[in-house]
Amino acid sequence: MKKLLFTIIASAAFLTMNLSNANAQYKNALGLGVDFGNGATLVGPSFKHFFNSQGAGQLELLFGGNSTRLQAFYQYHGNITGADGLKWYVGGGPGLNFFSAGPYDRTDFLLIPQAGLDFKIPGAPIQMNFDWRPTAFIGDNSDFEAGRFGFGFRFTF
């Protein structure tokens, strides 16, 4: 599994190197998203698109802990003076969590605010982000998990 993941990431890096611009701003990024903290760790594909210099949308389809989760976020970004490629952001959005464990199948609606940092490595087609994303589960078993975080590793184009 690790070799397959490494091969996929290395191939994507090679293919996107010529598509990326060399400055710290990027338009699109595709890669791996991780949602972790209290509860299960979820991993899957993640896509981020900038609508303008400050507004971006992010979409994730994550798997783990008997769950499949679809999340969509809108983020407002601001520059950090003196730190090329580093931006702060706040935002959030909805999600759907499909949980399946035998007779305990259920679907929860999620409300997920975010606050984090986005870093595009200058001169390289690599972007990373880290955020705090407390998650409210709304459904038959409503819950709130304050200790949830997100990490993304993506290739820009």
Side-chain angles (χ1 to χ4, degrees):
M1 180 68 175
K2 289 181 182 179
K3 288 181 181 180
L4 176 62
L5 183 59
F6 176 77
T7 303
I8 292 169
I9 290 172
S11 298
F14 180 75
L15 292 173
T16 59
M17 286 180 91
N18 292 331
L19 299 174
S20 295
N21 55 20
N23 64 21
Q25 180 63 39
Y26 61 95
K27 186 79 171 168
N28 297 300
L30 179 64
L32 186 68
V34 181
D35 188 306
F36 63 97
N38 292 345
T41 297
L42 301 132
V43 179
S46 177
F47 177 74
K48 188 167 187 173
H49 171 76
F50 271 88
F51 304 109
N52 55 46
S53 64
Q54 296 176 323
Q58 181 175 313
L59 186 64
E60 297 178 331
L61 179 61
L62 307 174
F63 307 94
N66 297 323
S67 291
T68 299
R69 187 175 295 179
L70 179 62
Q71 305 177 143
F73 306 109
Y74 179 81
Q75 302 164 341
Y76 177 84
H77 289 70
N79 292 324
I80 297 177
T81 306
D84 191 28
L86 185 63
K87 295 176 179 267
W88 59 266
Y89 64 90
V90 294
L96 288 173
N97 189 68
F98 303 98
F99 181 80
S100 179
Y104 302 107
D105 294 352
R106 71 174 191 267
T107 301
D108 293 310
F109 179 74
L110 310 173
L111 292 176
I112 311 166
Q114 288 181 310
L117 296 171
D118 180 288
F119 181 61
K120 161 67 173 76
I121 298 174
I126 298 172
Q127 175 270 336
M128 295 174 283
N129 69 282
F130 178 77
D131 57 56
W132 175 51
R133 51 174 73 169
T135 303
F137 293 77
I138 301 169
D140 292 337
N141 296 320
S142 294
D143 195 10
F144 179 74
E145 294 181 354
R148 296 299 297 174
F149 301 91
F151 175 75
F153 181 84
R154 301 178 192 90
F155 296 96
T156 61
F157 57 97

